[in-house]
Amino acid sequence: MIELAPSILSADFARLAEQVQSATEGGGTVIHVDIMDGHFVPNLTIGPPVVKSLRKATELPLDCHLMIENPDQFIPEFCEAGADWISVHQEACVHLNRTLNLIKSHGCVPGVVINPATPVDTLNEVLDIVDYVLVMSVNPGFGAQKFIPGAVRKIRRLADLRSERGLSYRIEVDGGIALDTVGDVVRAGAEILVAGNAVFGQGDPKINAQKLLKTAVEATLQKV
Ligand code: DX5
Ligand code: ZN
């Protein structure tokens, strides 16, 4: 099943609840929350207090994408604040197995993320303990960047590995997802589509979300 995860990074932070509501009316079913620390990525965003407020503003699952160093230090706090899904970067975790188990032990759904330069094979030993794998299709840190096409091959590889190994993780993609790129990622096997600029950049988030989701669902019908 295809799901749209609007990324609030491109939303108007002063009207967050309203913007989340409108993306939800457009068909968003997961809210993607980008957490940046100014170290792992060259930008700063939000922390647990905003997650706590968002928790009161929506019933949809909050997908917290941690782009931070030492995620173990903050995972309990994000879970406590109301995160439902938490993903950590392979590149940021020295003890990745431990970190994923920490997420699970706090009652959240664990996911792992790889940057554009990180091969899928670096995840071989954790694919059986994650609920989702997030493939970055831009270098993380900013919204509205250009889609890096190498992500398509990585998504396809993850879908193949999943069937070969009889696993059940879901495949999420993040970065540069818009009307012109969504078809390729969906046909490759992406199921959770993160979109920031394409939903909140210009115009009405509700209409933008509807169009993007419709294009994605149509692409599944062409999947070979
Ligand atoms: C980038 C973030 C993304 C970002 C995507 O570091 O992880 O979630 O919001 O933005 P768009 O969809 O604008 O590329
Ligand atoms: Zn993200």
Side-chain angles (χ1 to χ4, degrees), residues 135-216:
V135 175
M136 289 308 300
S137 38
V138 297
N139 288 295
F142 304 94
Q145 299 184 82
K146 198 172 176 300
F147 179 80
I148 298 174
V152 174
R153 186 180 30 81
K154 289 162 78 173
I155 292 166
R156 202 171 292 124
R157 170 106 180 107
L158 279 162
D160 290 346
L161 276 174
R162 180 173 56 192
S163 44
E164 277 165 31
R165 293 180 55 183
L167 297 172
S168 55
Y169 54 81
R170 300 178 74 200
I171 304 170
E172 182 174 29
V173 62
D174 182 4
I177 300 302
L179 295 174
D180 58 339
T181 51
V182 76
D184 285 345
V185 297
V186 162
R187 281 187 292 270
E191 297 145 323
I192 306 160
L193 311 167
V194 176
N197 188 53
V199 172
F200 296 109
Q202 280 169 7
D204 182 350
K206 176 177 168 181
I207 293 169
N208 294 340
Q210 276 169 345
K211 275 192 195 157
L212 190 58
L213 202 50
K214 184 168 179 279
T215 308

Side-chain angles (χ1 to χ4, degrees), residues 104-120:
K104 220 183 264 190
S105 75
H106 283 273
C108 285
V109 171
V112 68
V113 195
I114 45 173
N115 279 334
T118 305
V120 167

Side-chain angles (χ1 to χ4, degrees), residues 12-34:
D12 179 349
F13 275 61
R15 297 188 298 136
L16 212 42
E18 193 187 308
Q19 297 244 291
V20 163
Q21 181 61 31
S22 127
T24 306
E25 285 166 12
T29 45
V30 175
I31 301 300
H32 186 83
V33 184
D34 288 304

Side-chain angles (χ1 to χ4, degrees), residues 2 4 23 43 52 54 56 84 88 91 100 111 134 139 145 149 163 165 174 189 196-197 199 207 220:
I2 298 291
L4 177 64
N43 197 3
K52 199 173 170 189
L54 271 173
K56 292 180 227 153
D84 297 283
V88 290
E91 304 86 0
L100 293 167
L134 171 50
N139 288 295
Q145 299 184 82
S163 44
R165 293 180 55 183
D174 182 4
N197 188 53
V199 172
I207 293 169
T220 57

